[in-house]
């Protein structure tokens, strides 16, 4: 499966075509929103379609689960893992990889730094906006964290540099967050929702360096949201805009059956986990 | 319906269920299809995947995701698995698992990389290696439902021995004038090979795909480098990025 969003073509446009690129971007956003809405409806219909069947079978399933004590031993299966990862480092159902797999729902947008901006919004109003040079001039923080993808891989001790949400709020003159939730909006139309409590106090940042180098486009560069204590789809690639919201709303994967919050330690992979 | 209402709806957990292996189909020297009886299966859409969970006698567990190869119309659920070198789960599934064995599974998962006959066409499916699996679910569904959407499968494999579902795909294409299957072999071509040679590049895409004006629905599935290359070429050729859906099989030791 894929983790990060729909793409658009506007970013690759040269400066002289900027207004056209904006129009294209708006056009794509609108189309994306329409599509997201209709797919959310589809999902609901699809899920409710099977409801009766699930309900009727639930009883049978429960009995079965009791008799097998909840798990089934897979004949002949054993661990082949060499490395010993301390249990407190690895959430349930995860395994350690040294690769950095890429998961995206569409093509990787190629973004020119000259066209890049990042904005903070409260609802529809602008709180602050930076171009690349201005963003680079904000206070920089470096953190080392383990990251956990919902597709089961975890990567330990990854180092990221960027601007924390605390510093972003300070930069727009706010002493505290203006609303309890955010929606991150990305190039390509991808979105994800995060409670603000999971971003402040040094928990989240807009990151522009991975292991000391610019983040490669396939991994979300130039800038990605980083919320390392949640499943990694929350750390949205190609982030361009963070919108504070009074009410929580599901983002892209959250509308396709993935968990609304995504705590790896509680194994909140999918709806209802 | 607004997004907020969606979030507020009570949701039912995807429970772990027991899948019983009815049959194992040898697809290639490193690929097997597991034909599974899953009594509680709620149905799925072509392109979706499942999580599976294996438990060792000492309690060690491992989970992985595998794409569904069977269409929703079939009674058995089929997962096609490629053995990854040193992959503890894929090696077990390909080499150890036998008919009659059971393991745990939950799903279906994913609602974006899906296609049904109701979504119509033209349909452009582009696969690298075992990336063909979720696309096969779409093709099988299309056939079971007598779908007529003009469809192309552009399928890149290393060698003739690596082509998954070869006989079935050939037969499908022979029966259906609206389906074209184009194979390309990247490393080894047999004598007299009439198909394409080499990796899928921009020229090949320009020649074989439905033109951008026809607004094809495009699904690309394969390794990360494969998907990065192909989707990048498609954008350069003028296809709307929003019509290109991708699924990447990470090199994740599965």
């Amino acid at each position: 499966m894929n983790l990060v969003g729909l793409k658009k073509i506007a970013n690759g446009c040269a400066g002289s075509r900027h207004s056209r690129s904006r129009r294209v971007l708006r056009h794509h956003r609108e189309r994306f929103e329409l599509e997201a809405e209709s797919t959310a409806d589809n999902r609901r219909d699809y899920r409710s379609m099977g409801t009766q069947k699930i309900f009727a079978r639930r009883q049978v399933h429960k009995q079965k689960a009791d008799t097998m004590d909840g798990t089934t031993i897979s004949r002949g299966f054993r661990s082949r893992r060499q490395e010993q990862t301390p249990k407190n480092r690895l959430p349930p159902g995860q395994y350690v990889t040294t690769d950095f797999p890429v998961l995206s729902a569409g093509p990787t947008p190629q973004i020119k730094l000259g066209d890049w901006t990042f904005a903070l919004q409260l609802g529809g109003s602008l709180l602050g906006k930076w171009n690349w040079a201005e963003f680079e001039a904000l206070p920089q923080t470096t953190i080392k964290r383990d990251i956990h993808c919902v597709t089961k891989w975890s990567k330990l001790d990854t180092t990221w540099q960027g601007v924390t949400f605390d510093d972003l709020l300070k930069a727009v003159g706010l002493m505290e967050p203006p609303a309890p939730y955010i929606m991150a909006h990305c190039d390509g139309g991808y979105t994800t929702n995060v409670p603000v409590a999971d971003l402040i106090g040094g928990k989240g940042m807009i990151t522009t360096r991975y292991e000391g180098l610019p983040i490669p486009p396939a991994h979300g560069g130039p800038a990605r949201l980083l919320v390392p204590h949640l499943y990694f789809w929350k750390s949205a690639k190609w982030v361009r805009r963070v919108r504070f919201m009074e009410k929580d709303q599901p983002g892209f994967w959250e509308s396709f059956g993935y968990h609304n919050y995504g705590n790896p330690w509680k194994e909140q992979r999918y709806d209802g986990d | 319906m607004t997004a907020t209402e969606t979030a507020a709806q009570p949701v039912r957990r995807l429970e772990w269920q027991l899948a019983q292996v009815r049959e194992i189909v040898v697809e290639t020297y490193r690929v097997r299809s597991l034909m599974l009886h899953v009594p509680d299966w709620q149905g799925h859409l072509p392109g979706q995947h499942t999580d599976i969970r294996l438990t060792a006698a000492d309690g060690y567990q491992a989970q992985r995701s595998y794409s569904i190869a069977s269409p929703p119309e079939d009674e058995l659920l089929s997962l096609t698995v490629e053995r990854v070198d040193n992959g503890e789960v894929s090696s077990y599934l390909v080499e150890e698992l036998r008919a009659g064995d059971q393991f745990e599974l939950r799903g279906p998962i994913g609602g974006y990389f899906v296609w049904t006959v109701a979504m119509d066409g033209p349909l452009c499916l582009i696969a690298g290696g075992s990336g063909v699996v979720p696309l096969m679910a779409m093709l099988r569904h299309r056939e079971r439902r007598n779908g007529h959407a003009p469809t192309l499968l552009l399928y890149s494999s290393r060698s003739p021995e690596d082509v998954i579902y070869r006989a079935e795909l050939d037969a499908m294409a022979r029966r259906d004038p609206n389906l074209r299957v184009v194979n390309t072999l990247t490393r080894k071509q047999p004598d007299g090979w009439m198909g394409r040679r080499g990796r899928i590049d921009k020229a090949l895409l320009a020649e074989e795909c439905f033109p951008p004006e026809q607004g094809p629905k495009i699904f690309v599935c394969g390794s990360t480098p494969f998907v990065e290359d192909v989707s990048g070429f498609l954008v350069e050729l003028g296809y709307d990025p929003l019509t290109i859906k991708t699924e990447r099989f990470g090199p994740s030791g599965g």
Side-chain angles (χ1 to χ4, degrees), chain A residues 145-242:
Chain A
R145 295 285 187 280
D146 300 343
I147 55 176
H148 310 291
C149 179
V150 70
T151 62
K152 325 292 183 316
W153 58 265
S154 291
K155 195 168 168 60
L156 306 183
D157 295 323
T158 60
T159 304
W160 304 86
Q161 180 194 318
V163 182
T164 64
F165 269 79
D166 308 301
D167 285 329
L168 283 172
L169 288 174
K170 268 185 217 155
V172 296
L174 291 174
M175 299 308 290
E176 48 187 62
Y181 302 97
I182 63 109
M183 185 71 81
H185 295 264
C186 304
D187 277 323
Y190 180 75
T191 56
T192 192
N193 55 317
V194 183
V196 171
D198 287 277
L199 297 170
I200 57 172
K203 288 182 178 169
M205 62 161 61
I206 303 297
T207 173
T208 52
R209 301 275 191 290
Y210 170 66
E211 303 296 348
L213 295 169
I215 303 172
H219 289 298
R224 95 183 270 173
L225 175 65
L226 183 70
V227 201
H229 64 287
L230 301 180
Y231 279 126
F232 212 46
W233 88 78
K234 293 288 185 180
S235 294
K237 295 175 183 180
W238 314 305
V239 65
R240 294 293 293 273
R241 196 157 57 93
V242 165

Side-chain angles (χ1 to χ4, degrees), chain A:
Chain A
M1 54 138 268
N2 320 312
L3 278 205
V4 178
L6 295 161
K7 314 300 167 292
K8 69 165 187 51
I9 45 180
N11 285 301
C13 293
S16 60
R17 296 168 63 202
H18 198 67
S19 63
R20 182 186 171 271
S21 87
R22 279 224 192 101
R23 274 204 309 281
V24 175
L25 172 59
R26 198 162 47 237
H27 169 69
H28 280 284
R29 281 222 179 96
E30 282 161 9
R31 280 193 40 196
F32 171 73
E33 274 153 22
L34 280 177
E35 187 174 344
E37 230 169 72
S38 73
T39 43
D41 281 344
N42 289 345
R43 179 186 71 129
R44 191 195 43 174
D45 293 342
Y46 172 60
R47 284 215 143 194
S48 61
M49 199 170 76
T51 302
Q52 286 191 321
K53 211 168 148 190
I54 299 165
F55 236 62
R57 285 171 172 175
R58 177 123 320 194
Q59 301 301 327
V60 181
H61 184 71
K62 195 165 178 292
Q63 277 171 6
K64 259 191 213 163
D66 290 343
T67 54
M68 6 174 250
D69 199 26
T71 50
T72 304
I73 305 299
S74 311
R75 180 198 56 76
F77 177 65
R78 62 192 157 74
S79 170
R80 295 192 187 186
R81 301 249 140 216
Q82 302 292 319
E83 78 275 14
Q84 294 295 316
T85 308
K87 275 201 166 167
N88 62 358
R89 292 289 292 275
L90 204 56
Q94 298 291 110
Y95 64 94
V96 172
T97 180
T98 50
D99 294 323
F100 195 170
V102 170
L103 297 151
S104 314
T108 296
Q110 304 296 326
I111 303 159
K112 289 195 177 117
L113 290 185
D115 295 336
W116 186 90
T117 56
F118 176 76
L120 273 191
Q121 280 178 279
L122 173 58
S125 65
L126 195 64
L127 295 172
K129 190 173 183 177
W130 300 265
N131 64 24
W132 184 255
E134 290 162 346
F135 197 80
E136 291 274 277
L138 293 171
Q140 300 286 312
T141 303
T142 300
I143 59 170
K144 190 190 262 192
R145 295 285 187 280
D146 300 343
I147 55 176
H148 310 291
C149 179
V150 70
T151 62
K152 325 292 183 316
W153 58 265
S154 291
K155 195 168 168 60
L156 306 183
D157 295 323
T158 60
T159 304
W160 304 86
Q161 180 194 318
V163 182
T164 64
F165 269 79
D166 308 301
D167 285 329
L168 283 172
L169 288 174
K170 268 185 217 155
V172 296
L174 291 174
M175 299 308 290
E176 48 187 62
Y181 302 97
I182 63 109
M183 185 71 81
H185 295 264
C186 304
D187 277 323
Y190 180 75
T191 56
T192 192
N193 55 317
V194 183
V196 171
D198 287 277
L199 297 170
I200 57 172
K203 288 182 178 169
M205 62 161 61
I206 303 297
T207 173
T208 52
R209 301 275 191 290
Y210 170 66
E211 303 296 348
L213 295 169
I215 303 172
H219 289 298
R224 95 183 270 173
L225 175 65
L226 183 70
V227 201
H229 64 287
L230 301 180
Y231 279 126
F232 212 46
W233 88 78
K234 293 288 185 180
S235 294
K237 295 175 183 180
W238 314 305
V239 65
R240 294 293 293 273
R241 196 157 57 93
V242 165
R243 183 167 55 89
F244 286 92
M245 318 182 283
E246 282 302 328
K247 283 186 180 166
D248 196 13
Q249 287 176 22
F252 180 82
W253 287 117
E254 295 83 2
S255 303
F256 283 112
Y258 286 79
H259 198 273
N260 193 53
Y261 180 62
N263 180 351
W265 295 97
K266 294 186 176 171
E267 211 174 353
Q268 294 171 336
R269 298 181 195 275
Y270 314 116
D271 265 356
D273 277 353

